[in-house]
Amino acid sequence: MRSAQINPGPVGAFMGYDFHLGEEGPRLIEVNTNAGGAFLNAVLVRAQQRCCSGTQRVPGASDFDAAVIAQFKSEWRSQRDSGRPRSIAIVDDQPAGQYLYPEFRLAQQLFQKNGIEALIVSPADLRYETGALYAEDKQVDMVYNRLVDFALEAPSTQPCVRPGWMEAPL
């Protein structure tokens, strides 16, 4: 895996560790960078707390939005001294057809609510020109990688890959 040999600096927003329970106890089966379901679960927790009196409060649920934005700002600052991303590309193969597409939309809304332009695109929509990444003719500062091709080694991702751009500021 070529990308595993590169340290881009960021630790990764939404790092996820998937375990399966077996006869010998929990076993790590996957480390991923997309933590699918986080945005949907936050919406569900808020809905439950609003409609069901007496529902136990879930720690951190009310701070979810701020925590997400803080994660992405932290990733940005891990390679920049200051500022914040102006734009983020949420990237997955055929995004509108994905099971978790509604989650992509929730992420997009959260970023936009916080002054960060967010585009939902496939790798084919990305192009790297003159030292910058573009999608839909807009420069992309950061990628929120929702691809299952974590190493970005599939032929469809090759034209836009450069060392250090996965979930990292450009």
Side-chain angles (χ1 to χ4, degrees):
M1 195 183 297
R2 184 176 56 106
S3 64
Q5 298 170 3
I6 300 166
N7 180 358
V11 293
F14 279 116
M15 287 298 291
Y17 304 91
D18 295 342
F19 291 86
H20 280 189
L21 295 177
E23 292 179 15
E24 297 177 20
R27 189 173 67 110
L28 179 66
I29 62 155
E30 180 180 41
V31 177
N32 63 53
T33 61
N34 60 30
F39 289 90
L40 290 170
N41 282 314
V43 168
L44 293 172
V45 165
R46 288 178 191 142
Q48 182 178 10
Q49 289 176 340
R50 285 187 188 126
C51 78
C52 305
S53 61
T55 300
Q56 184 177 4
R57 291 282 184 225
V58 175
S62 60
D63 301 328
F64 177 80
D65 291 357
V68 169
I69 295 302
Q71 280 184 58
F72 280 86
K73 285 180 178 178
S74 175
E75 290 296 290
W76 177 263
R77 286 190 300 271
S78 72
Q79 292 198 8
R80 304 278 194 285
D81 290 333
S82 63
R84 58 185 271 159
R86 294 169 309 217
S87 61
I88 292 178
I90 302 166
V91 180
D92 202 349
D93 289 321
Q94 302 173 348
Q98 292 295 331
Y99 179 72
L100 286 176
Y101 179 70
E103 180 158 284
F104 301 172
R105 294 294 312 243
L106 290 170
Q108 181 183 43
Q109 291 169 11
L110 176 61
F111 291 132
Q112 290 175 339
K113 183 173 106 178
N114 285 274
I116 302 169
E117 184 173 12
L119 306 166
I120 300 172
V121 298
S122 75
D125 297 322
L126 298 172
R127 66 185 191 289
Y128 187 70
E129 294 177 356
T130 62
L133 187 66
Y134 290 87
E136 299 177 7
D137 296 323
K138 296 177 181 165
Q139 187 171 341
V140 174
D141 292 335
M142 185 178 232
V143 170
Y144 176 24
N145 181 17
R146 296 294 304 242
L147 288 165
V148 177
D149 176 20
F150 302 116
L152 298 175
E153 293 180 338
S156 63
T157 62
Q158 287 302 301
C160 63
V161 172
R162 75 175 176 92
W165 78 271
M166 261 192 327
E167 282 198 356
L170 299 169

